[in-house]
Amino acid sequence: MHAHTETRRTELLKFLFLAFVLVPVLSVGVVAAYGFAVWMVQLIAGPPGL
């Protein structure tokens, strides 16, 4: 019975880490990378419509 409790606790901690740490950090990183890429393209090619 003790091993089942450990597994359940570990699974809960992994879920909390994914839900509240990893996914938000990756989301911010993806948006920042996209914004940086758009900025670099506009530095090279100029703003849209120009």
Side-chain angles (χ1 to χ4, degrees), residues 13-46:
L13 288 174
K14 287 178 183 178
F15 169 75
L16 291 174
F17 175 75
L18 284 172
F20 295 105
V21 177
L22 192 61
V23 172
V25 167
L26 286 177
S27 299
V28 168
V30 167
V31 171
Y34 179 74
F36 183 76
V38 169
W39 180 43
M40 285 294 118
V41 168
Q42 288 185 0
L43 277 176
I44 295 166

